[in-house]
Amino acid sequence: MKPATAIINSNALRHNIQLIKSFAPQCNVLAMVKANAYGQGLLPAAKTIEDLVDGFGVARLKEGLEIQESGYAGRIVLVEGFFDRGELLKTLSRRFDTVVHCIEQLELLETVAREQEAEQQKSFWKRKTRIYFPVNVWLKIDTGMHRLGIHPEQVELFYQRLKACSLVKSVNFVSHFSRADELDCGYTEKQIATFEQATAPYHELRSLAASSGILYWKQAHYDWIRPGIIMHGISPHSTPITDLGFKPVMTLASSLIAVREHKAGEPVGYGGAWVSPHDTKLGVVAIGYGDGYPRNAPAGTPVFINGRKVPIVGRVSMDMMTVDLGADSQDKVGDEVILWGEELLIEEVATAIGAISYELITKLTPRVIFEYR
Ligand SMILES: *Cc1c(COP(=O)(O)O)cnc(C)c1O
């Protein structure tokens, strides 16, 4: 009998990458594997797809180090750049690509470059510090997200200073959409126009599209696409994308550890939050918020057992949850319960909980057993 287990379908992951490439055949693919590859396991995910993609995007230096130390010699991009001088030196020694999104990062890069130039003036035997090779820089432009990035009017200044910096091998452009999943709001068209206007004069490589951009904004594909959630067969919004050919990669499953007769009028669980309106059988499932399943999942949130959906009832507790199997049910202790997967799409679960799929998959805890198939 299995406790909370995430079963990862490696074939589905590879299939989704191929599908993504068919959406943007002329583009390079930067596979976004930040946050433990969206909770799927950083190194297993990276290993599964490394021959299909052109690089990996990470949000933390540590994530990049892990991939490189596992033996990957290809491109790794820090999509928020380095956070301090120590991180910059690591970025340089590991030859990661780095985003530059603010003046502090630019100045730090210039400072280290000047120090290195001074050092290089000395004869080899007198040098105290190591000499770094230049790296690729992705200049992040704020085209409307208003989170990270320089103002479009600052592009010329940053571009010239980066070009003049001896630690910069190439300057590329990147930006991020804030509303690409809303097809009719008009905002994405504005972001694309701003990006195009700010970057067209330079003839450098550009990257704008994450999952929604890849699916819905072909004119924003540019040179590098940056898929994240769709690699896992999950929609960037609440409507599933299985009809486009994507396959869910993760199945989150557990087992029934008890099946109990339950009388109308009896409450179940902490706070007696749910009182049964009918005589029924309750199933107890070995998964709870200690595994990362949201505690705030309301009564009625579906799980999948023996070919059908049944509702969660009562509060999700740390190690368990209770479900209403129905008076005539035949389910037995040991039967498999699917929390999400091909049979019950995560988008439906996320909608019932009032969460987003991104949050559900990245919040699984280390207690969950991972099985790669
Ligand atoms: C996370 C992230 C992505 C991927 O986003 P998805 O919506 O999961 O495809 C792309 N680009 C940047 C800069 C990111 O931080």
Side-chain angles (χ1 to χ4, degrees):
M1 183 153 71
K2 60 169 167 287
T5 305
I7 301 143
I8 305 296
N9 179 345
S10 304
N11 286 338
L13 183 56
R14 289 181 65 84
H15 162 87
N16 292 336
I17 300 278
Q18 306 278 23
L19 187 61
I20 290 164
K21 288 168 78 145
S22 76
F23 275 74
Q26 74 291 359
C27 294
N28 284 325
V29 178
L30 189 71
M32 298 302 300
V33 292
K34 60 195 182 181
N36 197 28
Y38 289 54
Q40 321 258 321
L42 175 59
L43 296 185
K47 278 270 169 295
T48 300
I49 59 175
E50 65 179 11
D51 61 316
L52 296 177
V53 302
D54 303 288
F56 291 112
V58 294
R60 301 285 183 267
L61 180 74
K62 182 167 169 279
E63 299 168 330
L65 295 175
E66 259 184 71
I67 301 174
Q68 200 176 62
E69 279 159 17
S70 79
Y72 180 72
R75 189 190 293 248
I76 294 171
V77 183
L78 301 176
V79 297
E80 292 164 20
F82 45 89
F83 293 174
D84 57 31
R85 183 187 171 94
E87 286 208 359
L88 170 56
L89 298 183
K90 275 252 157 55
T91 301
L92 294 168
S93 65
R94 299 306 184 109
R95 301 217 218 165
F96 293 158
D97 285 21
T98 181
V99 157
V100 165
H101 63 75
C102 64
I103 189 70
E104 290 84 356
Q105 286 177 327
L106 174 62
E107 287 172 352
L108 204 48
L109 199 52
E110 289 174 334
T111 302
V112 172
R114 270 196 306 274
E115 290 169 5
Q116 166 157 312
E117 285 155 28
E119 195 73 11
Q120 276 172 316
Q121 303 298 318
K122 300 179 189 168
S123 76
F124 182 83
W125 301 106
K126 284 188 186 160
R127 284 180 200 166
K128 286 198 195 70
T129 57
R130 64 172 292 183
I131 300 298
Y132 299 107
F133 292 102
V135 296
N136 299 312
V137 168
W138 293 83
L139 181 56
K140 179 136 187 172
I141 306 167
D142 175 16
T143 55
M145 173 70 128
H146 304 317
R147 188 179 58 182
L148 284 187
I150 63 165
H151 195 275
E153 282 161 19
Q154 298 175 294
V155 168
E156 173 64 11
L157 173 84
F158 272 74
Y159 181 79
Q160 295 306 343
R161 281 172 66 172
L162 285 168
K163 275 284 179 191
C165 179
S166 59
L167 281 173
V168 176
K169 182 157 85 188
S170 71
V171 183
N172 314 285
F173 297 109
V174 60
S175 188
H176 197 60
F177 289 134
S178 57
R179 302 180 65 180
D181 54 337
E182 301 169 64
L183 303 188
D184 301 315
C185 71
Y187 202 74
T188 300
E189 289 88 336
K190 280 191 201 154
Q191 284 197 261
I192 296 171
T194 302
F195 188 67
E196 180 60 32
Q197 201 178 1
T199 59
Y202 300 98
H203 306 286
E204 304 285 4
L205 296 179
R206 296 184 278 184
S207 177
L208 184 51
S211 289
S212 291
I214 294 164
L215 296 181
Y216 308 118
W217 303 93
K218 222 175 173 41
Q219 68 275 42
H221 286 176
Y222 289 104
D223 304 295
W224 283 79
I225 52 170
R226 309 188 308 269
I229 194 101
I230 56 175
M231 293 194 296
H232 307 289
I234 300 172
S235 170
H237 44 79
S238 57
T239 314
I241 52 171
T242 42
D243 58 341
L244 295 175
F246 287 93
K247 292 187 181 152
V249 171
M250 182 195 285
T251 300
L252 182 64
S254 188
S255 309
L256 281 178
I257 57 168
V259 176
R260 306 162 51 88
E261 297 288 343
H262 192 86
K263 290 268 174 287
E266 288 179 335
V268 63
Y270 287 116
W274 181 83
V275 176
S276 181
H278 45 239
D279 290 354
T280 189
K281 286 184 198 164
L282 290 190
V284 182
V285 188
I287 188 167
Y289 64 80
D291 302 289
Y293 194 95
R295 181 177 170 281
N296 65 337
T301 302
V303 307
F304 187 89
I305 303 179
N306 292 323
R308 72 199 193 284
K309 293 174 195 170
V310 299
I312 295 177
V313 292
R315 269 185 210 151
V316 172
S317 46
M318 188 183 291
D319 312 309
M320 290 171 270
M321 61 168 68
T322 40
V323 299
D324 185 358
L325 297 171
D328 303 326
S329 57
Q330 303 294 314
D331 312 286
K332 303 176 305 297
V333 167
D335 286 356
E336 185 185 60
V337 181
I338 291 171
L339 288 312
W340 59 69
E342 250 174 303
E343 301 83 351
L344 171 61
L345 296 176
I346 194 170
E347 291 86 349
E348 180 179 345
V349 178
T351 302
I353 296 176
I356 59 171
S357 309
Y358 291 84
E359 200 184 348
L360 295 185
I361 54 171
T362 52
K363 276 197 170 159
L364 296 182
T365 68
R367 188 167 77 181
V368 176
I369 296 163
F370 274 73
E371 277 178 19
Y372 297 89
R373 297 196 181 153

